[in-house]
Amino acid sequence: MSIERIKVYKFGGASVKSAGSFRNLARILKTQGHEGQLLVVVSAMGKTTNALEALLHLAYRQQSFSSELASLKDYHLQVLRELLVDQEHPAFQRLEHLFELLHDQLKGITPNDNFDRVYDQTVSFGELFSSAILHYFLAEQDIYNTLIDSRKYIQTDTNWREGKVDWAWTERLIRRDVPHLLQQGLVVTQGFLGGTNNGLTTTLGREGSDFSAAIFAFCLDADSMYIWKDVEGLLNADPKYFADTVRYPEISYQETVEMAYYGASVIHPKTIKPLANKKIPLYVKSFLNPEGEGTKICDCRFEVIAPAYIIKEKQCLVSFGVKDFTFISEKNLGTIFNALSELRIKINLMQNSAISFSICTDYNQERLQRLIQTLQDQFVIHYNTNLQLYTIKNYNAESIKRISEGREVLLEQRTRTTFQIVSR
């Protein structure tokens, strides 16, 4: 069975936040996606994931969530009403059923539950809502499509909130069913979601829909993958912070992986590896300007590339000092790294001196307090919060001056290609 000329499209929450957004998506599929076979991965609508997280916290604290749930349901139903004239359409029944399942899930949560496990079972509803709406709407637009449940194909372990993919089993399942479905027409599925071998839902990490699309692209030996964003392509900086951004027409997998690692928000950090392994090009395009060139991420090399500016907000700088003023040793570092690993605290930057070791990490009050409790008997621990981490890839003197001037720098680090500061 041939699986040639397959494309994978991924649409994020901003591209399905309203009825107008869904119509625009359908136009893109009709004008851009008509060549070859196409699989579409869709995220939750707008800020739905945030709303589901808020619902989960209310349920976990045994507080009333009825008004917030009603508001989320009204949002989805209103979009569906604008898209489908027939109020008796099966799409409404499907959406009602999904919200009933969500209500039952929330009602069953207790403070004794494993929070991360119930997080995955709850927050995953966002993609189930959006993919169902997209499936029915495209059918009404005479775009034949099959809706599949990604949880039955992307198989993971039970590492809740960041499931580790079982690649061999996932590839076997996808290759078994999806090529045949693609020959019949477009396939729609959910981003962000995976499943365990006993039928529980897992998620692939926040913003994991990019990764979902890459998994399908890898397993299908896709010809290409497209991420549709609200920007013109991969930019060298976030337009919210920099007015004079530069679009990269073409950039290498390597550069993109490093930018993602340092916190660039356009591409999910795990997305590139499966694509690079099979040299599948990734195109970042604008759903607001589908005809625009966008950015091609591929196996290429450039001698000179515009500096990339990456900003991570809400950072915490933690310093560990030995209590007896001896040097920080490998044994000390092993103790610290073990605690960080157990608490799933990701290091964004680290630096050591003779008698202290410092890390910059995303601020999470609960995990920080647990870290301090774990290590306070062995180390003197100081920390600062509400900080920013600035990273410049491919820096020059002008770019360093641009981000350093007028800021209180608490920590600075540079390599041959990367400059970083932690500042207030």
Side-chain angles (χ1 to χ4, degrees):
M1 183 178 292
S2 171
I3 54 171
E4 296 300 312
R5 302 284 303 156
I6 291 173
K7 289 192 289 189
V8 176
Y9 279 8
K10 180 262 175 174
F11 290 94
S15 60
V16 288
K17 65 182 180 182
S18 65
S21 301
F22 276 94
R23 294 189 185 100
N24 184 58
L25 192 161
R27 280 194 295 272
I28 291 172
L29 295 183
K30 288 178 178 178
T31 58
Q32 305 280 320
H34 54 276
E35 292 181 8
Q37 300 167 3
L38 182 61
L39 181 139
V40 174
V41 174
V42 65
S43 298
M45 291 165 51
K47 301 296 183 182
T48 294
T49 302
N50 292 346
L52 286 164
E53 287 178 341
L55 281 166
L56 171 60
H57 283 287
L58 288 171
Y60 203 71
R61 295 193 296 264
Q62 303 293 284
Q63 295 175 331
S64 173
F65 54 78
S66 56
S67 63
E68 289 82 358
L69 180 60
S71 177
L72 185 63
K73 182 178 178 181
D74 287 344
Y75 166 51
H76 285 78
L77 283 173
Q78 181 56 37
V79 169
L80 198 54
R81 291 187 197 104
E82 292 180 42
L83 293 173
L84 302 174
V85 176
D86 179 11
Q87 304 299 295
E88 301 300 316
H89 195 284
F92 290 94
Q93 297 172 0
R94 178 61 184 158
L95 204 57
E96 286 283 354
H97 177 63
L98 287 171
F99 269 97
E100 287 173 12
L101 292 176
L102 173 58
H103 178 267
D104 292 344
Q105 166 65 25
L106 291 166
K107 286 292 287 184
I109 292 172
T110 74
N112 297 320
D113 287 328
N114 177 321
F115 182 84
D116 289 342
R117 185 181 68 80
V118 295
Y119 178 98
D120 283 1
Q121 313 316 305
T122 306
V123 174
S124 53
F125 275 91
E127 279 70 18
L128 301 180
F129 299 150
S130 60
S131 59
I133 292 173
L134 181 61
H135 163 64
Y136 286 111
F137 173 63
L138 292 180
E140 286 295 305
Q141 295 292 302
D142 296 323
I143 300 176
Y144 176 85
N145 71 98
T146 304
L147 176 63
I148 63 171
D149 188 338
S150 65
R151 298 173 296 177
K152 298 188 186 325
Y153 291 96
I154 297 178
Q155 296 295 289
T156 77
D157 62 7
T158 55
N159 189 39
W160 310 114
R161 299 184 70 171
E162 199 158 353
K164 300 293 186 290
V165 177
D166 182 333
W167 284 94
W169 189 233
T170 295
E171 188 166 11
R172 191 176 302 127
L173 292 171
I174 289 174
R175 284 181 172 272
R176 183 192 68 190
D177 296 345
V178 180
H180 175 69
L181 295 173
L182 284 167
Q183 289 186 337
Q184 300 174 37
L186 187 146
V187 172
V188 173
T189 193
Q190 308 80 25
F192 186 48
L193 311 185
T196 66
N197 58 12
N198 61 346
L200 289 173
T201 301
T202 55
T203 61
L204 304 177
R206 198 70 198 270
E207 310 297 338
S209 294
D210 291 357
F211 186 35
S212 299
I215 293 168
F216 277 102
F218 176 91
C219 294
L220 293 167
D221 289 324
D223 184 62
S224 56
M225 175 176 148
Y226 290 71
I227 294 177
W228 295 90
K229 305 280 290 184
D230 57 358
V231 291
E232 290 291 329
L234 187 59
L235 306 179
N236 75 322
D238 188 332
K240 292 200 296 285
Y241 298 100
F242 295 87
D244 54 347
T245 56
V246 175
R247 175 180 61 86
Y248 297 113
E250 193 169 273
I251 193 169
S252 70
Y253 294 125
Q254 179 81 21
E255 285 286 343
T256 310
V257 164
E258 291 187 22
M259 288 167 62
Y261 172 80
Y262 289 117
S265 60
V266 172
I267 308 295
H268 188 271
K270 295 178 184 175
T271 301
I272 299 299
K273 187 175 186 296
L275 302 177
N277 284 348
K278 290 194 175 179
K279 291 186 166 50
I280 300 169
L282 170 60
Y283 296 87
V284 181
K285 302 258 287 180
S286 169
F287 61 77
L288 302 173
N289 179 25
E291 287 74 31
E293 289 183 17
T295 297
K296 180 181 182 181
I297 301 168
C298 57
D299 188 19
C300 59
R301 292 290 179 270
F302 295 95
E303 290 300 317
V304 180
I305 186 169
Y309 300 89
I310 302 153
I311 303 172
K312 288 180 77 74
E313 300 277 6
K314 298 178 181 176
Q315 296 296 288
C316 178
L317 184 63
V318 188
S319 296
F320 307 88
V322 287
K323 289 194 169 184
D324 58 1
F325 292 99
T326 57
F327 295 140
I328 284 281
S329 66
E330 287 78 4
K331 184 177 181 181
N332 295 142
L333 293 175
T335 301
I336 295 168
F337 281 122
N338 187 56
L340 293 170
S341 176
E342 287 184 359
L343 293 169
R344 293 167 67 180
I345 296 175
K346 180 179 177 291
I347 299 173
N348 296 328
L349 182 150
M350 59 183 172
Q351 191 172 94
N352 68 286
S353 67
I355 60 171
S356 73
F357 176 70
S358 299
I359 64 165
C360 178
T361 183
D362 299 340
Y363 178 58
N364 180 304
Q365 184 178 5
E366 179 195 351
R367 290 182 181 177
L368 176 62
Q369 293 306 317
R370 288 170 64 190
L371 178 68
I372 292 171
Q373 289 167 10
T374 303
L375 297 176
Q376 62 187 358
D377 290 342
Q378 296 163 271
F379 302 94
V380 177
I381 303 174
H382 300 284
Y383 67 91
N384 301 91
T385 61
N386 198 28
L387 305 177
Q388 296 83 39
L389 171 62
Y390 290 84
T391 302
I392 311 174
K393 280 281 294 139
N394 307 301
Y395 64 88
N396 53 32
E398 182 184 345
S399 60
I400 290 175
K401 182 179 178 183
R402 182 174 188 178
I403 68 162
S404 300
E405 270 190 346
R407 292 190 172 90
E408 180 188 353
V409 177
L410 304 184
L411 188 150
E412 177 182 317
Q413 192 173 102
R414 73 175 76 192
T415 66
R416 280 177 292 181
T417 60
T418 306
F419 176 86
Q420 294 181 286
I421 60 170
V422 179
S423 71
R424 293 189 199 276

